Amino acid sequence: MYRAAIDIPGPHLDTLRAAAAATKTTVVIGVNERGRHSLGVLYNSVLTIGPDGSLIAVHRKLVPTWAEKLTWTNGDGSTLRVHQTEVGPLGVLACGENTNTLARFALLAQGELVHVANYISLPVAPKDYDMADAIAIRTAAHAFEGKLFSVVSCSTVSEEIIDIVAGDDEEAAHMLRRERSALSGIFGPDGRPVSEPLVDKEGIVYGEIDLARCIAPKQMHDIIGHYNRFDIFSLNVNTAPLQPITFNGAGGPPPEPEGALIGPWREDEIPAR
């Protein structure tokens, strides 16, 4: 997985930026981002790319969810930001952190009007867990509470993936074909879908976003304005980027030793010492 992850900056990002510029599209996409200081660090990251191909933001998931804790590293508050884009003030969260109430409020309080949530298909969830419902509930809740538009994009498990992963294991193949494991859609400020969501299917959901629809419901219940009590409640967010080391001397970090192993390489590319 580490070898298949990407560097930021790097050639994979360059390809995505070129595609965004060629289609004049604002792109929000999840990636596995390799840490630059350690071969053991992977971030569950969400990239926001502008229609001119510029990299607007990289958000690193704050807390890996469930079994993800075995693999991914925590992000930090420096990437919990709302950015002005062609489609409006846009914020992103990755998968399960859309259940994190304080993370969601931190985006709302920065004026978020378009929220993008990236999810994975989850056929390995407990038997009584309906992933499609879980995604819809989270998405509708954030849209309704914040009086904004929420765009949710979820991966799917194709037959090609099933063949590669399950092979001749019929039980594993049956599990991976579990229904209601994914949902993608667009939800409006009333919490309702703007158009028909996709469930367990790969495709494109189209919907019209009119930010003027956020005005009337905001007048009724604006939890980042008149419908709150900031003399009673307060939220502090540490936006400092977390680093494993800080150099206080005027000379900066020491020079790298000759022949230092600065990855990441594929196994067949690692230079001899």
Side-chain angles (χ1 to χ4, degrees):
M1 181 179 290
Y2 187 90
R3 293 174 185 145
I6 72 170
D7 296 317
I8 299 174
H12 299 90
L13 175 59
D14 292 342
T15 300
L16 292 170
R17 292 177 59 192
T23 56
K24 294 181 171 58
T25 303
T26 299
V27 175
V28 179
I29 184 170
V31 299
N32 286 314
E33 177 194 357
R34 289 192 284 220
R36 300 185 65 80
H37 65 278
S38 171
L39 299 180
V41 171
L42 277 177
Y43 295 108
N44 194 334
S45 299
V46 182
L47 312 181
T48 303
I49 303 170
D52 60 351
S54 62
L55 178 63
I56 296 174
V58 179
H59 170 64
R60 292 169 172 172
K61 188 175 182 181
L62 298 175
V63 180
T65 306
W66 198 27
E68 291 175 356
K69 292 182 176 69
L70 294 172
T71 303
W72 283 274
T73 301
N74 286 346
D76 59 48
S78 67
T79 69
L80 195 61
R81 303 283 190 178
V82 169
H83 299 273
Q84 298 299 321
T85 71
E86 293 288 326
V87 297
L90 186 146
V92 307
L93 290 174
C95 202
E97 67 179 347
N98 285 281
T99 312
N100 189 320
T101 305
L102 298 184
R104 295 193 299 107
F105 186 85
L107 296 179
L108 295 176
Q110 295 176 60
E112 182 186 47
L113 289 178
V114 180
H115 181 78
V116 179
N118 300 79
Y119 284 87
I120 58 165
S121 179
L122 195 64
V124 298
K127 291 183 179 180
D128 60 348
Y129 192 87
D130 188 309
M131 184 63 168
D133 273 353
I135 293 174
I137 290 169
R138 288 190 186 107
T139 308
H142 188 66
F144 184 81
E145 289 178 6
K147 313 306 180 191
L148 49 68
F149 288 89
S150 190
V151 181
V152 55
S153 175
C154 186
S155 65
T156 57
V157 180
S158 67
E159 286 298 318
E160 180 183 10
I161 292 173
I162 294 173
D163 289 341
I164 293 172
V165 174
D168 296 329
D169 189 331
E170 294 184 4
E171 184 177 349
H174 177 74
M175 178 186 65
L176 292 172
R177 291 190 178 96
R178 175 178 170 177
E179 296 181 349
R180 300 193 59 78
S181 294
L183 181 144
S184 297
I186 305 170
F187 290 68
D190 57 2
R192 297 188 178 97
V194 170
S195 55
E196 188 67 24
L198 281 176
V199 177
D200 296 333
K201 295 179 181 178
E202 183 176 350
I204 301 175
V205 177
Y206 293 95
E208 184 174 332
I209 291 178
D210 180 3
L211 297 185
R213 284 185 55 195
C214 302
I215 298 174
K218 283 275 193 184
Q219 292 291 310
M220 294 177 64
H221 297 99
D222 183 7
I223 63 171
I224 61 169
H226 65 81
Y227 207 70
N228 214 322
R229 288 290 303 275
F230 298 116
D231 56 332
I232 300 174
F233 306 111
S234 65
L235 172 63
N236 294 316
V237 180
N238 179 9
T239 59
L242 302 182
Q243 302 291 340
I245 187 171
T246 300
F247 296 98
N248 295 320
E256 294 168 356
E258 185 177 352
L261 182 62
I262 306 172
W265 290 280
R266 292 193 307 270
E267 186 174 322
D268 59 351
E269 293 179 331
I270 295 178
R273 293 276 184 165

